[in-house]
Amino acid sequence: MATTQKLMRAIRVFEFGGPEVLKLRSDVAVPVPQGHQVLIKVHACGVNPVETYIRSGAYSRKPVLPYTPGTDVAGVIESVGDSVSAFKKGDRVFCSNTVSGGYAEFALAADDTVYPLPETLDFRQGAALGIPYFTACRALFHSARVRAGESVLVHGASGGVGLASCQIARAHGLKVLGTAGSEEGKKLVLQNGAHEVFNHKEVNYIDKIEESAGIKQGGVDVIIEMLANKNLSHDLKLLSRGGRVIVVGCRGPIEINPRDTMAKETSIIGVSLFSSTKEEFQQFAGILQAGMEKGWLKPVIGYEYPLEKAAQAHEDIIHRSGKMGKMILVL
Ligand code: NAP
């Protein structure tokens, strides 16, 4: 007897282009997990800037068309493949990647990219964990090799990666400075681990950072940079001896004077989350697990959209300033 295939609502991209290429379909087949895969009933999915770059077709990584975007899913396990032993139907989970795409009612994921979601966090918060928190861990621990007692400037602290970086850095004994582009954003950054906060829209804010008590003793040790094409030249002047700028976000070229790195022997280091090995993902997951257990890891949700407004979310994540935490789709 023929079985009827289950269908679901999902965003599909049939051609690369602007936000309008995100099409909501209700005839997408619900995938079936094989081997080490799990099927997750999606309750929320994070929206990340990288998903807009991929959608535009201008990014180094291009999925085969048509595809469903989204990697940062939180939800409940619906079914598991034959080789899965760590999860069962009904488990609350979040993930750091998907096989079939997260802007959908159901998402397939490999079991080694799936993690238990504690009851203390809701699904919206679970959807804020994936790319932002794993990137913050990679930037701070792998790229910057931060040590307790050092200072860190999170340059662009009010969004997904920024707030995650502030929470993690504060919990690990760093002196944390942050920036935001609005008064509300500044308050949020202070509430989430920063000792001091500055407004990156103010003309003289770099002078204010230079004057800050936090860096008077010779500069800031680490800068986690969300918009290097705007800030890299200033960053190099804010660093301490042996300081490091960690380039997390960059949307174009910038002119710098390499001489600015010489006297203080400073470094510029790029980050690519998806260059992390499986072992590194597990290491970062361990740090995040500890944060969830101890209670210092508390994702902040900003703008929320239903699945049918995915195109608006893509427009806003790039063009709407005054971030107030993580942008998510709620299903
Ligand atoms: P997001 O949630 O949209 O946040 C963007 C942040 O940038 C906000 O805090 C925003 O502040 C801030 N910003 C705006 N203008 C700024 C300026 N002139 N100087 C400094 N910061 C400024 O994005 P996200 O998810 O945190 O990602 C941030 C960047 O990192 C994006 O470019 C993303 O593509 C990149 N990223 C890279 C990796 C990687 O592996 N390398 C991984 C994840 C993300 P206001 O809105 O308050 O002005």
Side-chain angles (χ1 to χ4, degrees):
M1 194 176 69
T3 52
T4 340
Q5 197 172 32
K6 252 181 98 182
L7 300 179
M8 65 174 179
R9 292 163 75 235
I11 296 292
R12 300 293 279 164
V13 176
F14 296 90
E15 57 179 331
F16 297 115
E20 69 283 356
V21 303
L22 299 173
K23 304 287 186 201
L24 180 64
R25 301 291 295 254
S26 48
D27 57 353
V28 179
V30 175
V32 178
Q34 311 288 331
H36 281 281
Q37 295 175 337
V38 302
L39 182 70
I40 302 168
K41 172 150 184 33
V42 180
H43 285 245
C45 183
V47 177
N48 293 286
V50 71
E51 290 141 23
T52 71
Y53 318 150
I54 294 171
R55 184 216 66 225
S56 76
Y59 197 62
S60 52
R61 194 156 38 89
K62 281 194 192 61
V64 176
L65 295 169
Y67 77 98
T68 295
T71 58
D72 297 355
V73 155
V76 175
I77 298 281
E78 177 75 10
S79 56
V80 301
D82 293 345
S83 310
V84 175
S85 55
F87 299 102
K88 60 179 188 321
K89 184 174 166 67
D91 288 349
R92 288 162 48 89
V93 294
F94 71 96
C95 56
S96 57
N97 210 345
T98 67
V99 174
S100 59
Y103 296 9
E105 288 179 311
F106 292 91
L108 207 56
D111 62 355
D112 59 0
T113 62
V114 178
Y115 314 88
L117 179 67
E119 293 288 345
T120 47
L121 299 187
D122 63 30
F123 291 118
R124 293 146 65 250
Q125 291 175 302
L129 289 169
I131 287 185
Y133 277 83
F134 284 85
T135 300
C137 282
R138 186 161 185 86
L140 289 164
F141 299 111
H142 173 89
S143 312
R145 302 193 183 279
V146 294
R147 297 179 290 274
E150 287 193 313
S151 55
V152 59
L153 168 66
V154 181
H155 211 162
S158 49
V161 183
L163 288 171
S165 302
C166 289
Q167 290 177 1
I168 296 167
R170 181 66 181 260
H172 286 81
L174 282 101
K175 167 95 184 175
V176 183
L177 299 103
T179 75
S182 68
E183 281 309 305
E184 295 74 21
K186 280 174 69 183
K187 275 188 210 140
L188 199 63
V189 171
L190 278 181
Q191 286 160 3
N192 282 279
H195 294 87
E196 283 182 79
V197 67
F198 305 87
N199 187 333
H200 52 235
K201 296 246 171 78
E202 272 179 24
V203 188
N204 61 345
Y205 83 101
I206 293 289
D207 300 339
K208 288 190 180 169
I209 297 176
E210 268 176 341
E211 286 159 19
S212 144
I215 64 161
K216 259 187 185 146
Q217 272 72 39
V220 67
D221 299 311
V222 171
I223 299 179
I224 305 295
E225 181 54 64
M226 303 304 161
L227 203 57
N229 52 300
K230 203 149 185 209
N231 299 325
L232 188 57
S233 179
H234 289 309
D235 287 346
L236 293 177
K237 296 181 182 105
L238 289 172
L239 286 178
S240 65
R241 174 164 292 281
R244 301 79 90 193
V245 182
I246 308 302
V247 178
V248 173
C250 184
R251 292 186 179 158
I254 180 174
E255 189 174 309
I256 61 160
N257 186 346
R259 179 169 285 276
D260 292 337
T261 65
M262 291 165 69
K264 291 195 260 176
E265 296 193 314
T266 55
S267 321
I268 303 166
I269 301 169
V271 175
S272 163
L273 174 63
F274 287 102
S275 296
S276 308
T277 62
K278 281 186 181 179
E279 291 70 29
E280 285 165 347
F281 266 106
Q282 292 307 323
Q283 181 202 337
F284 305 149
I287 294 166
L288 302 182
Q289 182 73 36
M292 290 185 256
E293 285 165 9
K294 300 292 278 182
W296 55 256
L297 189 160
K298 287 192 187 121
V300 179
I301 305 307
Y303 304 117
E304 296 180 30
Y305 301 80
L307 190 59
E308 55 270 28
K309 295 274 190 239
Q312 186 64 51
H314 270 215
E315 181 70 27
D316 290 352
I317 196 148
I318 299 301
H319 298 296
R320 186 169 177 176
S321 65
K323 292 283 151 55
M324 294 293 291
K326 177 71 203 164
M327 180 181 285
I328 55 163
L329 297 175
V330 182
L331 284 99

